[in-house]
Amino acid sequence: MGGDMLEVFLNEARDLLEQLEAALLDLETRPNDRELINTTFRALHTLKGSGGMFGPPAMAAFAHELENAFEKVRQDKAPVTPALVSLLLQSADQIRKLLFESDGDHSAESRRLADALLAEVADGAAAPVAAASGAAQPAMQAAVAETLQRFRIRMSLERSALAFGTNPLALIDELRDLGTLSVVADTSGVPVLEELVPTDLHMAWDMELATSRGRSAIDDVFIFVDGPDAVRIEELAAEAAPAPVAAPAPVAAAPVAAAPVASAPVAAPAAPAPKSEAPVAAKAPAKAEAPGEGKAAAAEANVRVSASRLDMLLDQVGELVIAQARLSALARNRHDPVLTTVAEEIERLSSDLRDSAMGMRMVPIETLFGRYRRVVRDISSDLGKDIDLQFSGEETELDKTVLDRLGDPMVHIIRNSCDHGIESAERREAAGKPKRGLLRLSARQAGTEVVITIEDDGAGLNRARILEKAQAAGVVPEGVTPPDREIDELIFHPGLSTAAAVSNLSGRGVGMDVVRRTITELHGTIEIDTRPGEGTRFMLRLPLTLAIIDGLQVAIGDAQCILPLTSVEECVELAAVETRASGGRNFVDIRGTLVPLLWMNEVFGTAERGAIVVVTESEAGKLGVVVDQVVGQHQTVIKPLSPLHAKTPGLVGATILGDGAVALILDVNPLARFVGQPRADRIAA
């Protein structure tokens, strides 16, 4: 098997496992949700099918046993219990090991989980019948006389089916598992020996199947079969089952109809497709579409591209934007109408290309938040605490590279919030709190930053214990009591932990220092706000370090600077508005709202005060940035600063202007701290 196909299979398997985990976590709170049951079954079925063609045999066999066990749930022969969900989540972890950890023997753990699952569904198999009330007895008695459905199936696969991994005998075996199957091989297409190609498929099969599982189960068998006429399914007259069946018949109101896969080896639909009476492989023609048209659209819906290629594309687009800016400047200087027209057209095209390239890298943060549902569930189970997890701002988008690196730091913070922050049910009740703890994850965009907040309603940081541990470790001298804010920051000191004992969750003092180091490497900051008895909030601020943004170019003395356009509200002349002074601070009256002024000449150390107020929106509210001149809008390619300047407050990066000059990109949130200072630290020479 080629490396590309293996990589596609592994990527699709990761997606399927994430989908399976999310469905199981939802199923734990909504055990009777038929759609979630179908989604879980399809994920298991697809993992089994794709694993049989591309994955390790042990993984395919294990997934097959999981599917068989969960089939009883889908047929309403066993209930969804917390124990079953826990076993299935452990099984999903086991599939990951079988796929991505080739070293070691995992067969014993696979056998243990498979046996435990079979025992769990067997123990609960009688529950629906035993719990039936007297009013429900007529329905149960009607279910005893189950009816078998009969189907005539013609399987005529494409000649290239064998070369692409399809095993027709395995498909026949799966049909045989559904009921009573008769098979007649059609060998009329087999050529003479001299013309026979061993890798081509020349046979077809005519089959009749009597099953109680319904049409949807047959559709699942042929989920990977391509070709408009590869499979034809005809429903025949039903017949009574020869023996009564005690369990209720499968729920026909919510069938599972799997869509065919065009080219990718693994496919997992996001929602159950409606039941169709057309053959599985001929669904597109049944809707009066051209053969394969529906599959082509599905195949084009998502294309996997490596992150390195996206980085290269964005770098090239950035250079194109810089070149376009030089062309526009040249057109303005030469006053050539033809050149100006071409420059404007290229500017429009480069702007569209920039937006498209940026959109490819941006990912909703819900893909990150979704991972922590399982983390919080497992931690709360280990600690014996009931913890609710709430999300907000999941639609906020973040660069995928940054998103991927945030995974581990946020896990450390969440673990600490659950372990150290949120109290036990008894302590919470004694403190007048609800027994269930609450953990909130939120995200929002603020100017050039994405702000991610992790907040719990626990006891807050124990400053006395933190200080005691810090003094015992020699981090803080004996007898010295730092301010509260500095004590809070001590939790990021390497090797410092307040845990009473080492456990699998905490105690060794590693984790929070890694959090700070990772956030710093991303040119972000982390802030702590704790309230004794009420909870703790961690706020991660992540600036844009490699992006293309719309900016407002301004002049401050001889320096050219860029303000992100997303934070700019309006520009007014200083002479045209009323200014006031209070407590050493200057304000400007903007339609009845007093806006504090930041004199950029003091920040940059220039002699003359500016004449234009750029009204911006910062974390602290509105801020009037006073500059000498507003040059105009500018497409800004953010270039990282040197290590010498990277930690300068108020600077996000730099960019190259059309004339080749360097302009500094300003961030209004750190700049707001300079307001009212008699002499702000300079951010530029």
Side-chain angles (χ1 to χ4, degrees):
M1 179 172 53
D4 289 343
M5 295 183 68
L6 177 60
E7 185 64 26
V8 169
F9 161 68
L10 293 176
N11 287 332
E12 295 288 353
R14 289 188 186 95
D15 291 344
L16 276 171
L17 287 170
E18 290 181 5
Q19 175 189 345
L20 175 62
E21 188 172 284
L24 289 171
L25 291 172
D26 288 336
L27 201 58
E28 192 170 32
T29 57
R30 305 199 303 273
N32 297 320
D33 191 315
R34 178 57 55 177
E35 181 176 334
L36 288 174
I37 291 175
N38 289 335
T39 300
T40 302
F41 181 83
R42 275 199 311 277
L44 291 171
H45 182 80
T46 309
L47 282 168
K48 180 202 71 173
S50 59
M53 291 188 290
F54 302 99
M59 173 264 171
F62 182 60
H64 181 64
E65 295 197 63
L66 301 185
E67 180 193 26
N68 288 342
F70 197 77
E71 173 67 11
K72 293 190 176 182
V73 175
R74 197 171 70 130
Q75 293 183 355
D76 290 337
K77 295 179 179 178
V80 175
T81 62
L84 178 63
V85 171
S86 295
L87 286 171
L88 288 170
L89 287 171
Q90 295 175 41
S91 299
D93 294 338
Q94 181 69 4
I95 290 177
R96 285 191 179 92
K97 292 179 182 178
L98 293 170
L99 283 174
F100 304 110
E101 298 179 15
S102 56
D103 55 328
D105 185 6
H106 304 289
S107 58
E109 179 65 10
S110 298
R111 185 71 267 151
R112 182 191 72 81
L113 287 170
D115 291 343
L117 276 169
L118 290 174
E120 180 65 28
V121 296
D123 291 343
V129 178
S133 63
Q137 287 301 319
M140 300 300 296
Q141 293 171 0
V144 171
E146 192 178 60
T147 300
L148 293 178
Q149 290 179 279
R150 295 178 56 83
F151 297 91
R152 180 179 293 123
I153 305 170
R154 168 76 175 181
M155 183 171 66
S156 178
L157 305 178
E158 296 182 355
R159 285 195 174 187
S160 59
L162 295 177
F164 283 98
T166 301
N167 185 347
L169 298 182
L171 297 176
I172 294 174
D173 287 340
E174 286 195 50
L175 289 175
R176 189 172 283 113
D177 291 340
L178 300 181
T180 304
L181 182 71
S182 62
V183 184
V184 176
D186 181 0
T187 60
S188 60
V190 178
V192 297
L193 184 61
E194 291 78 6
E195 300 176 3
L196 188 142
V197 179
T199 57
D200 286 354
L201 179 63
H202 303 283
M203 295 176 59
W205 289 266
D206 292 300
M207 297 168 280
E208 286 195 11
L209 173 66
T211 178
S212 62
R213 301 275 291 276
R215 170 63 182 271
S216 62
I218 303 176
D219 291 346
D220 286 341
V221 171
F222 297 108
I223 188 173
F224 296 108
V225 174
D226 292 334
D229 297 317
V231 178
R232 294 192 182 93
I233 304 174
E234 178 186 356
E235 186 168 355
L236 305 177
E239 64 179 20
V245 180
V251 178
V256 180
V261 178
S263 59
V266 183
K275 184 175 180 179
S276 171
E277 295 303 322
V280 175
K283 288 183 180 178
K287 296 181 180 180
E289 297 177 355
E293 182 179 340
K295 296 178 190 177
E300 294 175 359
N302 292 286
V303 178
R304 290 188 177 273
V305 180
S306 65
S308 60
R309 291 189 178 184
L310 287 179
D311 292 339
M312 184 183 301
L313 174 63
L314 193 61
D315 288 341
Q316 292 172 343
V317 170
E319 296 302 323
L320 175 63
V321 170
I322 293 174
Q324 172 269 315
R326 295 182 61 187
L327 177 62
S328 297
L330 183 64
R332 287 194 300 269
N333 294 334
R334 296 210 175 175
H335 304 290
D336 186 337
V338 176
L339 184 60
T340 300
T341 302
V342 174
E344 290 175 351
E345 180 66 15
I346 293 179
E347 181 178 0
R348 182 185 65 81
L349 293 174
S350 65
S351 177
D352 293 344
L353 182 59
R354 174 206 65 181
D355 293 340
S356 298
M358 285 293 297
M360 292 177 189
R361 289 173 57 98
M362 304 304 287
V363 180
I365 207 165
E366 65 180 347
T367 60
L368 178 67
F369 283 1
R371 305 176 194 173
Y372 303 126
R373 297 176 60 198
R374 173 75 182 280
V375 173
V376 172
R377 177 192 182 276
D378 291 346
I379 293 176
S380 60
S381 177
D382 291 341
L383 297 174
K385 299 178 181 178
D386 291 329
I387 302 175
D388 290 330
L389 181 61
Q390 293 182 359
F391 300 130
S392 64
E394 306 99 309
E395 70 282 354
T396 304
E397 292 188 335
L398 192 61
D399 188 287
K400 187 181 185 302
T401 304
V402 178
L403 199 70
D404 290 342
R405 295 195 60 187
L406 275 179
D408 289 341
M410 289 191 61
V411 166
H412 286 305
I413 297 175
I414 289 171
R415 283 179 179 272
N416 277 356
S417 295
C418 294
D419 191 8
H420 300 298
I422 297 177
E423 315 95 325
S424 63
E426 295 78 13
R427 291 182 59 190
R428 292 180 62 86
E429 191 173 19
K433 296 182 179 180
K435 289 186 178 181
R436 299 184 66 89
L438 179 61
L439 184 66
R440 296 188 187 93
L441 302 184
S442 63
R444 58 188 173 86
Q445 186 173 349
T448 60
E449 296 179 328
V450 171
V451 181
I452 300 176
T453 303
I454 304 103
E455 184 176 9
D456 65 67
D457 67 344
L461 295 181
N462 188 338
R463 292 189 175 116
R465 185 163 181 78
I466 293 173
L467 182 58
E468 177 188 347
K469 289 285 187 178
Q471 290 175 340
V475 177
V476 177
E478 291 287 344
V480 176
T481 303
D484 289 347
R485 186 176 185 86
E486 293 183 17
I487 295 176
D488 296 343
E489 294 287 325
L490 288 173
I491 67 172
F492 296 114
H493 193 280
L496 189 65
S497 174
T498 59
V502 174
S503 68
N504 63 333
L505 292 177
S506 59
R508 293 184 172 86
V510 295
M512 293 307 291
D513 61 316
V514 175
V515 170
R516 165 163 281 182
R517 183 167 63 250
T518 303
I519 299 301
T520 302
E521 289 172 355
L522 292 172
H523 303 282
T525 60
I526 181 169
E527 302 173 7
I528 307 174
D529 179 19
T530 185
R531 300 167 302 282
E534 298 181 15
T536 302
R537 179 175 61 188
F538 292 88
M539 186 177 295
L540 313 182
R541 297 181 181 275
L542 301 163
L544 295 172
T545 57
L546 182 61
I548 306 172
I549 62 172
D550 285 323
L552 183 69
Q553 183 180 345
V554 298
I556 304 167
D558 295 332
Q560 296 293 316
C561 296
I562 302 292
L563 284 167
L565 204 59
T566 53
S567 62
V568 175
E569 292 192 352
E570 60 180 312
C571 300
V572 296
E573 291 187 12
L574 186 60
V577 292
E578 180 183 355
T579 59
R580 303 177 187 178
S582 176
R585 304 173 64 184
N586 296 117
F587 297 86
V588 63
D589 190 341
I590 304 293
R591 292 181 296 279
T593 301
L594 291 180
V595 178
L597 293 179
L598 174 63
W599 301 93
M600 295 303 294
N601 70 299
E602 295 183 1
V603 177
F604 277 74
T606 58
E608 297 182 2
R609 287 197 168 189
I612 304 295
V613 179
V614 181
V615 181
T616 63
E617 183 68 32
S618 70
E619 284 292 310
K622 294 184 184 298
L623 175 67
V625 180
V626 184
V627 300
D628 296 345
Q629 181 186 359
V630 174
V631 180
Q633 188 172 341
H634 183 270
Q635 286 191 38
T636 305
V637 179
I638 299 180
K639 297 291 186 179
L641 296 169
S642 68
L644 180 64
H645 302 91
K647 296 184 179 180
T648 305
L651 293 186
V652 177
T655 190
I656 302 174
L657 302 176
D659 59 0
V662 175
L664 298 174
I665 304 171
L666 307 179
D667 189 356
V668 296
N669 291 320
L671 288 176
R673 302 169 191 163
F674 293 130
V675 175
Q677 295 184 11
R679 178 71 176 177
D681 294 333
R682 297 180 182 183
I683 63 172

